[in-house]
Amino acid sequence: MNVSWGDNNRDLHYVDSFRPVNDEVRHIRVLLYGPVGAGKSSFITSVSNALRRRMTCEALASAANSSGQSFSKKYLTHRIRKGGKGNYYCLVLNDTMGLEEGYGRGIHTHDIKLAMMGHVKEGYKFNPLAPLSNGDPDYNSSPSLNDRVHVMVCVHNANAPEMKSSILLKLREIREAASRKGVPQLAVLTNVDEACIDTKTSLRNVYRSKYLKKKISEFSSSFGIPINCILPVKNYSHEIQTCSDVDTLILRAVRLIDLGHDFTNKVLR
């Protein structure tokens, strides 16, 4: 990975001035999904921290996940405030329940597919045993282009043990569904600061780490997503103030969210 370190001011200006090119779209909607404990909620808060340049509490996350169960239970949309009252960045991040091993545990893949198409209403409580269906109160039967997801982001923990085959099958099922609909897809690899001694010493070694390069290559091969669509990040966890190097990786991931431009234009052709 031959990538130079970022310019945070440039990236902040880019996101600040970002507007969907399609007049029928108010924002780019990003859906986060992945295994339990991958860091989906923490990533949302980390994006908020980097954009607002201060510590925030955008999405509640569990400090520890010893139970192995998802902390997020509902389908929630996170809008990040920008500047004065009533102003928001032109992207929204949707959190989901984590995927778990086996039947009847964690989010049902069908619910993720429905959310991708805009059929899931805000606040819907995920039910691992019975996914949402047409006719349910939380089912949106007539989603607008704004309700639909414009970018799918799979979140995975760089320090997680080898992924169980059942989880990988669920991830592939979701990826294939998104591919059939032409929805752009990215992956975020979290906790890269703990991946090896190089990244623990300095986040600026993230693109030099042979271990991390191997980890990304293995994830690319197993999940089927191109290496240049896998973005290494460190979520805010123990910090009490923002850090430039942490923000650099987060902002680089946020900038690629504008891939949703292509999708929103294609839908209306």
Side-chain angles (χ1 to χ4, degrees), residues 32-154:
L32 305 177
Y33 69 99
V36 169
K40 297 179 291 298
S41 300
S42 295
F43 178 70
I44 291 173
T45 294
S46 297
V47 170
S48 176
N49 293 350
L51 292 180
R52 301 182 70 182
R53 285 155 271 189
R54 66 175 180 83
M55 302 304 287
T56 66
C57 188
E58 182 59 41
L60 294 177
S62 177
N65 197 22
S66 58
S67 67
Q69 297 181 338
S70 181
F71 184 75
S72 299
K73 305 293 185 184
K74 294 182 178 181
Y75 186 66
L76 299 176
T77 300
H78 297 271
R79 303 171 67 199
I80 301 174
R81 191 178 297 279
K82 178 175 69 172
K85 184 178 180 180
N87 292 324
Y88 294 89
Y89 285 95
C90 291
L91 74 150
V92 298
L93 300 164
N94 278 89
D95 200 3
T96 58
M97 189 179 197
L99 290 162
E100 297 183 39
E101 186 180 7
Y103 175 77
R105 299 185 60 190
I107 190 171
H108 199 289
T109 55
H110 187 63
D111 276 347
I112 295 180
K113 297 175 193 176
L114 289 178
M116 180 179 68
M117 297 303 297
H119 290 299
V120 179
K121 291 183 180 180
E122 180 74 4
Y124 164 65
K125 187 174 182 180
F126 297 108
N127 184 346
L129 294 174
L132 190 65
S133 62
N134 193 356
D136 290 342
D138 289 308
Y139 185 90
N140 180 6
S141 58
S142 302
S144 68
L145 188 55
N146 279 298
D147 296 324
R148 296 182 64 175
V149 170
H150 311 126
V151 183
M152 295 284 288
V153 176
C154 176

Side-chain angles (χ1 to χ4, degrees), residues 24-257:
E24 295 190 28
V25 179
R26 296 190 302 272
H27 48 242
I28 298 299
R29 185 179 298 277
V30 180
L31 179 67
L32 305 177
Y33 69 99
V36 169
K40 297 179 291 298
S41 300
S42 295
F43 178 70
I44 291 173
T45 294
S46 297
V47 170
S48 176
N49 293 350
L51 292 180
R52 301 182 70 182
R53 285 155 271 189
R54 66 175 180 83
M55 302 304 287
T56 66
C57 188
E58 182 59 41
L60 294 177
S62 177
N65 197 22
S66 58
S67 67
Q69 297 181 338
S70 181
F71 184 75
S72 299
K73 305 293 185 184
K74 294 182 178 181
Y75 186 66
L76 299 176
T77 300
H78 297 271
R79 303 171 67 199
I80 301 174
R81 191 178 297 279
K82 178 175 69 172
K85 184 178 180 180
N87 292 324
Y88 294 89
Y89 285 95
C90 291
L91 74 150
V92 298
L93 300 164
N94 278 89
D95 200 3
T96 58
M97 189 179 197
L99 290 162
E100 297 183 39
E101 186 180 7
Y103 175 77
R105 299 185 60 190
I107 190 171
H108 199 289
T109 55
H110 187 63
D111 276 347
I112 295 180
K113 297 175 193 176
L114 289 178
M116 180 179 68
M117 297 303 297
H119 290 299
V120 179
K121 291 183 180 180
E122 180 74 4
Y124 164 65
K125 187 174 182 180
F126 297 108
N127 184 346
L129 294 174
L132 190 65
S133 62
N134 193 356
D136 290 342
D138 289 308
Y139 185 90
N140 180 6
S141 58
S142 302
S144 68
L145 188 55
N146 279 298
D147 296 324
R148 296 182 64 175
V149 170
H150 311 126
V151 183
M152 295 284 288
V153 176
C154 176
V155 183
H156 182 53
N157 186 340
N159 286 326
E162 185 177 352
M163 194 180 298
K164 300 290 186 180
S165 59
S166 61
I167 297 291
L168 188 56
L169 285 173
K170 291 178 180 181
L171 290 177
R172 287 175 177 167
E173 179 185 342
I174 295 163
R175 171 163 168 71
E176 289 168 5
S179 296
R180 287 194 296 270
K181 297 296 182 181
V183 182
Q185 300 175 64
L186 298 170
V188 166
L189 200 64
T190 62
N191 291 345
V192 296
D193 57 314
E194 298 292 335
C196 66
I197 188 63
D198 292 330
T199 52
K200 195 166 189 176
T201 300
S202 173
L203 276 179
R204 296 200 175 204
N205 292 325
V206 69
Y207 298 112
R208 303 188 188 103
S209 167
K210 292 181 180 179
Y211 175 83
L212 195 56
K213 183 177 181 180
K214 180 185 177 191
K215 195 82 174 179
I216 290 175
S217 179
E218 289 173 348
F219 184 61
S220 172
S221 297
S222 60
F223 183 45
I225 191 167
I227 287 177
N228 64 347
C229 292
I230 302 174
L231 307 168
V233 303
K234 180 215 175 318
N235 284 336
Y236 279 99
S237 54
H238 60 274
E239 295 82 4
I240 59 173
Q241 61 184 21
T242 55
C243 169
S244 176
D245 286 350
V246 174
D247 289 349
T248 294
L249 296 177
I250 295 293
L251 291 171
R252 179 166 287 155
V254 172
R255 281 200 59 160
L256 283 182
I257 287 170

